Amino acid sequence: MTDLTEVTVEEAPSEMYKTVFCNPAFEPENEREEVREGVKTLNTTEPKRTPASRSVQSMCAVWLGGPWCGWGAIVVSVSVLLLVAALGLALVLIFTQLKEEQTQERGIVTPLDSWSGGLPQGLPPSPSDSSPSHSTAASQPTGGATGTRKCGGVLDESDGTFSSPNHPAPYPPDSLCVWVIQVHPPALVQLRVSSLAIEGPSPCLFDWLELREEHEETTTVTRFCGNVAPPTVNTNSSTVWVTFRSDSSIGGNGFSAQYQAVLPLQKSCSRDEFLCDGGRCLLPVSVCDGRSNCQDQSDEANCSQKHKECGGQKTGPEGSLSSPNHPKPYPHQQMCTWRISVAEGHVIQLSFRNFSLETQEVCEFDYVEVHDSTDMADRSVLGRYCGTNLPPELTSSGPVMTVLFVADEGVADSGFYATYRAIALSERTCSPAQFACGSGECLHQEWLCDGWTDCADGTDEQGCGNATYPPFTSSCELIQVEMCQGLSYNLTSFPNIWLSISDQREAAEVLRQYRVLTELPCFQALRRLVCGMFVPLCNPQGGVLQPCRSVCVSAEQQCGQALNMLSLSWPFNCHLLPDSQDPVECALP
């Protein structure tokens, strides 16, 4: 009989335990019992440390881990997919918002143009071309680039007010505000600007307030700037666009305006304004001024019987002027104009001794207005005064000055008394805020060493080596642009400050698009205009002159219809050019 006590029995590892994917439902019954025993052994507080027990523990760990790992992988996978989807949705929303903001910004800043080649940004666009951009700007009002409060928007009430950013404080630079005023037809929009202080002068190339109204076949555009509020505007449309724009330099206190809906037969003016042509309003200074401003010429009717007791010509080295009945209250409905002239080589110094007019927040009813010329245009205003404070001492830049006194039918006061005297240019003194030319002329300090000769003797541009701008030298140069050679002038100057063109080479590139129109019978008239705009005349003092308005009007009359046949709208706004034939103010190419 064999002794089995020395026989050692070793368990061979089962191949089943090497299987990763196992299912107890397909295992033999005795093996399932062993598994259950192994589980009990694994959970006991004092397991037996035998090879068999360790093998069972490893087997159970595989069995228990298999199902657990499967469900965990599914949960983790689903979580990762949800996280990726959320991140993707967030990125889509961010890109969509950025795209909308860029689209809105382009709609506000970039004017539309029907010319295939595109016109320079500084060129006054055709009203019909730029109106879509106004609509876009109105839907997303914007303020200046400096981050001030927003401006612009849609005004659809029957009346309301709006103003420039920060008004009555100075407006920020680089501002663009667009208001769309809408009233219910058949009512029309009436606009009244109660205060105005915008960098000028005319033709308002730097900062401006623009009113645009569109009709079925025409578009009317009017720009305002300077320090004199315009008369009431009775439009012929139920929807108008009002745009305020400022450049990056000198500013002002801006404007404040009111609008209301009026019926076509209820057009009116302010009490101190003159109504003509069924809705046109004129300031008192434009009534009986020797020029017909109304189509029916009613503003110049019966002028021989008006204001005969005041105003007139003043000559001689010194003199005085006063309101009617001074120091007693002046009569109502007065408009007196004094034109003062002294000898050449002299300027006029005006000093107010007594002053008491109707007090107003804005001088629009009773006031004294002083002009630095015989032409009472907005650009020549030295100041407008009312109330009881003495105006400052005023000095003309030449031998002529105009003083205007206006009184309405309301409150009357004691008026004013002023004296004037002629001063030789060599004896003229300037205020601390001004610069004195060698001729005695006084200029703003901002004009000193600015690269442009403002003094007749050029002293404002001498010794400017350490200034912000380089020393001034004559900027006139011969015209090299072939298309613009043979005009009435052969000297030009760059950079072109109106159209932001740096030199003649850039001007030639821009003018290349107009060569397609050389076959038009009106091309010569168009050539004179575009050359006058892009290659301007350089005057002997070193400045440049825009073409006169008559040049633009003549070209539009000759070429407007031909361009329409080519589906091209007229690209210029003639009303922005100087309305003069004076070669000192504008050019006739």
Side-chain angles (χ1 to χ4, degrees):
M1 190 172 192
T2 304
D3 189 2
L4 300 177
T5 59
E6 301 295 329
V7 177
T8 302
V9 179
E10 296 183 1
E11 288 187 37
S14 175
E15 294 297 330
M16 176 188 66
Y17 303 136
K18 299 180 182 179
T19 303
V20 176
F21 302 100
C22 52
N23 190 340
F26 294 98
E27 303 300 329
E29 190 68 28
N30 57 344
E31 292 184 0
R32 285 203 298 268
E33 292 295 332
E34 291 179 2
V35 170
R36 283 193 287 270
E37 292 176 1
V39 171
K40 293 178 180 179
T41 304
L42 184 65
N43 292 331
T44 57
T45 57
E46 295 182 359
K48 294 181 179 181
R49 304 292 183 178
T50 63
S53 65
R54 286 194 296 271
S55 176
V56 171
Q57 289 175 14
S58 301
M59 174 189 68
C60 292
V62 172
W63 282 0
L64 291 173
W68 174 257
C69 293
W71 285 109
I74 293 174
V75 172
V76 171
S77 300
V78 171
S79 301
V80 170
L81 289 175
L82 291 176
L83 179 60
V84 171
L87 290 175
L89 180 60
L91 290 174
V92 169
L93 292 175
I94 292 173
F95 285 128
T96 302
Q97 182 68 21
L98 291 175
K99 184 175 180 181
E100 290 178 354
E101 292 179 357
Q102 293 173 355
T103 303
Q104 292 169 353
E105 182 178 359
R106 288 194 296 268
I108 292 172
V109 175
T110 306
L112 300 179
D113 205 308
S114 61
W115 290 80
S116 59
L119 295 175
Q121 188 173 353
L123 183 63
S126 170
S128 60
D129 294 338
S130 56
S131 58
S133 67
H134 290 308
S135 300
T136 305
S139 63
Q140 180 67 26
T142 182
T146 57
T148 56
R149 64 184 180 86
K150 295 182 181 298
C151 60
V154 178
L155 307 176
D156 53 7
E157 301 293 335
S158 60
D159 59 78
T161 63
F162 57 99
S163 61
S164 55
N166 302 334
H167 182 81
Y171 53 79
D174 298 316
S175 296
L176 174 60
C177 312
V178 181
W179 294 268
V180 179
I181 304 176
Q182 297 175 331
V183 299
H184 296 291
L188 307 175
V189 176
Q190 182 187 75
L191 181 69
R192 181 171 178 266
V193 180
S194 56
S195 65
L196 185 74
I198 297 177
E199 180 192 4
S202 177
C204 308
L205 297 172
F206 307 111
D207 299 356
W208 64 76
L209 177 67
E210 182 179 273
L211 172 65
R212 181 189 303 271
E213 55 174 312
E214 297 191 0
H215 314 290
E216 294 182 357
E217 299 180 355
T218 61
T219 300
T220 304
V221 180
T222 309
R223 277 190 183 181
F224 309 107
C225 62
N227 298 311
V228 178
T232 303
V233 179
N234 290 301
T235 72
N236 294 308
S237 176
S238 300
T239 301
V240 298
W241 286 264
V242 180
T243 304
F244 172 69
R245 184 68 182 264
S246 67
D247 63 7
S248 59
S249 60
I250 303 171
N253 292 337
F255 74 94
S256 176
Q258 303 81 39
Y259 77 91
Q260 65 176 348
V262 298
L263 294 175
L265 297 179
Q266 295 179 349
K267 294 181 179 180
S268 62
C269 302
S270 298
R271 61 176 181 172
D272 63 322
E273 296 173 349
F274 182 81
L275 177 64
C276 66
D277 296 338
R280 183 176 184 181
C281 299
L282 297 180
L283 294 175
V285 68
S286 300
V287 180
C288 291
D289 61 352
R291 294 180 295 180
S292 295
N293 300 288
C294 301
Q295 294 182 358
D296 57 12
Q297 300 184 354
S298 58
D299 58 317
E300 297 299 319
N302 302 320
C303 290
S304 60
Q305 301 300 320
K306 295 180 181 179
H307 327 304
K308 59 182 180 180
E309 68 274 18
C310 65
Q313 298 288 335
K314 293 286 185 178
T315 58
E318 60 184 21
S320 64
L321 55 150
S322 63
S323 56
N325 299 337
H326 181 79
K328 297 180 180 180
Y330 47 81
H332 301 302
Q333 296 287 348
Q334 295 294 302
M335 190 182 76
C336 313
T337 304
W338 293 269
R339 289 181 171 85
I340 308 172
S341 60
V342 296
E344 290 291 339
H346 292 72
V347 294
I348 301 169
Q349 186 178 75
L350 182 68
S351 303
F352 288 90
R353 309 301 179 182
N354 299 322
F355 196 88
S356 183
L357 274 63
E358 179 184 358
T359 301
Q360 314 144 58
E361 182 177 353
V362 179
C363 300
E364 57 180 335
F365 305 129
D366 296 359
Y367 58 85
V368 171
E369 189 172 274
V370 183
H371 292 258
D372 191 21
S373 68
T374 56
D375 179 17
M376 291 187 293
D378 292 345
R379 62 179 178 272
S380 67
V381 176
L382 292 176
R384 178 187 283 195
Y385 309 100
C386 60
T388 57
N389 295 326
L390 278 177
E393 192 173 76
L394 302 174
T395 305
S396 65
S397 60
V400 292
M401 176 185 282
T402 302
V403 180
L404 172 70
F405 170 63
V406 173
D408 64 1
E409 73 279 2
V411 179
D413 214 321
S414 60
F416 72 93
Y417 173 76
T419 61
Y420 73 90
R421 66 187 184 97
I423 300 176
L425 288 175
S426 58
E427 301 175 2
R428 180 181 180 183
T429 58
C430 301
S431 68
Q434 293 179 316
F435 170 78
C437 300
S439 61
E441 182 180 2
C442 297
L443 301 177
H444 295 290
Q445 286 285 357
E446 292 86 353
W447 297 359
L448 183 63
C449 294
D450 63 351
W452 295 91
T453 298
D454 299 295
C455 296
D457 55 4
T459 54
D460 60 315
E461 299 300 326
Q462 294 178 2
C464 297
N466 295 324
T468 304
Y469 298 91
F472 175 78
T473 57
S474 178
S475 59
C476 292
E477 56 188 74
L478 287 173
I479 295 178
Q480 303 294 330
V481 181
E482 181 180 358
M483 177 179 171
C484 298
Q485 292 177 340
L487 298 174
S488 61
Y489 58 90
N490 58 3
L491 292 178
T492 186
S493 179
F494 281 86
N496 187 324
I497 61 174
W498 293 297
L499 303 183
S500 300
I501 298 178
S502 59
D503 51 32
Q504 292 200 56
R505 179 178 300 179
E506 184 178 348
E509 288 296 324
V510 176
L511 288 172
R512 193 184 304 276
Q513 62 182 311
Y514 290 93
R515 291 187 177 275
V516 299
L517 306 176
T518 54
E519 300 301 324
L520 294 179
C522 64
F523 179 72
Q524 288 304 318
L526 182 63
R527 182 179 78 98
R528 287 192 292 270
L529 173 61
V530 296
C531 286
M533 294 288 295
F534 291 96
V535 188
L537 165 66
C538 179
N539 62 24
Q541 285 74 35
V544 291
L545 297 178
Q546 289 182 297
C548 299
R549 184 185 300 180
S550 60
V551 178
C552 182
V553 172
S554 176
E556 183 177 11
Q557 291 175 348
Q558 297 181 52
C559 294
Q561 186 175 0
L563 293 180
N564 288 334
M565 295 177 64
L566 297 174
S567 298
L568 298 175
S569 58
W570 183 249
F572 302 97
N573 188 344
C574 299
H575 294 287
L576 301 182
L577 297 175
D579 185 15
S580 174
Q581 299 294 323
D582 190 342
V584 177
E585 296 185 7
C586 57
L588 296 169

